Amino acid sequence: MGASNSSSCAFASTYSSYHSNEVLRCHYNHTGKLNLARYKDRLEPEAIAFLFICFIIVVENIIVLMAIWKNKKFHMPMYYLLGNLTLSDLLAGFTYMLNIVLSGPKTLSLTPLLWFIREGGVFITLAASMISLLAIAIERYFTMLNTKPYYRAKRKRMFALIGVSWVLSVLLGLLPIMGWNCLGDLDSCSTVLPLYAKNYIFFSVLVFMGVLLAIVALYVRIFHFVKSNTQNPSYVPQKAYGLRSRKYMALLKTVTIVVGVFILCWMPLFVLLLIDFMCTEECLVLLKADYFLGVAMINSFINPIIYTLTSRDIRRAILKLLFKRCLTTKDGQLRNIGIKISFTKTEANRQGGETTVSSGNATTVNVKSNYPKLKLSVIA
């Protein structure tokens, strides 16, 4: 079967290979995907569900980006790196949305060139999201090592990290369209991505696993650094060091959650791609790759939620952005909204104790009771 397909799909030139619809049909037939109903009919319900998730990814990351851009407090190297992660997650959601729209019945109408662009966009943005996590880890590691960093040096390092992360991501995503593919060699093709060479799939997994291990290693070093210096803070004032240690331990907890979620979301796809590389016969699980990619996509959905829930400053900035009129005072400050309850002991007279209840500028009401004084106030 493989030999007959290889002979029937002889490609005259590189140009014709990249612009022939029959080439795509040949590769999908070779991998067994041509017979799937979803390439003949409309989009399946799960594809529509993934479209909705991608839409939420785009919206929530736009909100986080706007909050960072409008708040001058966040115009710092670390927050720029966080903004870069948010941008890559936003683009990942957008490119995967386009990928779904151009999939299903529209797949076989694409030329190989358009197919490479479709899949390469997802590869580039997901790789950028992953490498952005590594860039944040590198920046935090150097910040921990240098107790008195110069802003100019941090700014240069930040721009370098952002630039390198995108250069590497774009290079990784463009390798197939530059020639590392299986056009003309069906036996070396991936089942998950029928125009990608298995060797390229394996190389990509190695890169992603290397990035993951580097992230884990850096945060382990940061953890040991903070732990050892917390136990021996002789060279730093106790109060200042205690505040700094608490701050970085809080950041460490945040990133531990981010890395943990990253592993949970991406590991199934890594395992599937390794199976794709090693499988020499028909492996039915490879035909369900969309579900594994969808789970990896959820990482871009969860990242902004994690940073919002664990960072008080970002949370306040987002609330201020979304509910500016309701939550800000005339001078532009965010209102403190909460309930304050305090108990004070009073001498009970013959008529009993007194309870005071007040809310905002409302009139205080005194209620007779036999209990200590209770003062309830709503701060707004």
Side-chain angles (χ1 to χ4, degrees), residues 47-233:
I48 298 174
F50 284 138
L51 272 176
F52 179 70
I53 293 175
C54 288
F55 175 75
I56 297 177
I57 290 173
V58 172
V59 171
E60 65 179 358
N61 281 286
I62 286 176
I63 292 173
V64 176
L65 273 180
M66 289 182 64
I68 294 175
W69 175 59
K70 288 194 171 186
N71 197 324
K72 293 183 180 180
K73 183 179 181 180
F74 298 145
H75 294 180
M76 301 167 56
M78 180 54 68
Y79 285 103
Y80 284 140
L81 289 170
L82 180 57
N84 183 57
L85 172 63
T86 304
L87 176 63
S88 59
D89 285 335
L90 187 159
L91 294 175
F94 180 74
T95 55
Y96 191 47
M97 190 184 301
L98 291 179
N99 187 287
I100 295 173
V101 171
L102 294 175
S103 296
K106 295 183 179 180
T107 296
L108 297 178
S109 64
L110 299 175
T111 63
L113 179 62
L114 293 177
W115 188 94
F116 282 129
I117 294 173
R118 186 190 76 177
E119 301 299 334
V122 176
F123 254 75
I124 290 171
T125 53
L126 290 178
S129 177
M130 195 179 309
I131 299 175
S132 293
L133 286 173
L134 176 60
I136 292 174
I138 293 172
E139 176 60 31
R140 283 180 173 165
Y141 177 72
F142 281 108
T143 301
M144 287 297 300
L145 292 181
N146 192 357
T147 57
K148 295 181 180 180
Y150 293 99
Y151 179 77
R152 183 177 298 179
K154 289 188 67 174
R155 190 177 179 86
K156 289 181 179 179
R157 185 168 65 234
M158 177 267 298
F159 282 122
L161 288 172
I162 292 176
V164 169
S165 67
W166 280 104
V167 168
L168 291 178
S169 301
V170 171
L171 180 61
L172 183 64
L174 291 182
L175 283 176
I177 203 172
M178 293 168 63
W180 197 353
N181 55 56
C182 63
L183 294 180
D185 186 11
L186 292 175
D187 293 332
S188 66
C189 287
S190 160
T191 301
V192 174
L193 297 163
L195 268 62
Y196 281 179
K198 285 188 175 183
N199 290 335
Y200 170 75
I201 295 293
F202 182 66
F203 172 77
S204 299
V205 173
L206 288 182
V207 171
F208 293 152
M209 291 296 293
V211 170
L212 175 60
L213 291 176
I215 292 172
V216 173
L218 283 170
Y219 282 115
V220 168
R221 291 290 301 272
I222 292 174
F223 175 78
H224 285 299
F225 183 87
V226 173
K227 184 178 179 181
S228 61
N229 287 316
T230 302
Q231 294 173 349
N232 301 289

Side-chain angles (χ1 to χ4, degrees), residues 228-296:
S228 61
N229 287 316
T230 302
Q231 294 173 349
N232 301 289
S234 56
Y235 63 94
V236 181
Q238 186 68 30
K239 184 177 180 180
Y241 191 84
L243 180 62
R244 182 166 172 264
S245 295
R246 286 194 300 271
K247 176 183 177 182
Y248 279 100
M249 286 305 291
L251 288 174
L252 189 60
K253 290 179 181 178
T254 299
V255 178
T256 300
I257 297 173
V258 171
V259 174
V261 171
F262 172 84
I263 294 173
L264 290 176
C265 291
W266 279 92
M267 196 55 67
L269 182 61
F270 290 164
V271 173
L272 182 76
L273 293 177
L274 287 176
I275 293 174
D276 186 20
F277 173 73
M278 294 183 293
C279 186
T280 56
E281 298 180 357
E282 186 177 6
C283 301
L284 296 179
V285 68
L286 298 178
L287 301 180
K288 302 293 183 181
D290 289 345
Y291 297 99
F292 292 84
L293 181 58
V295 173

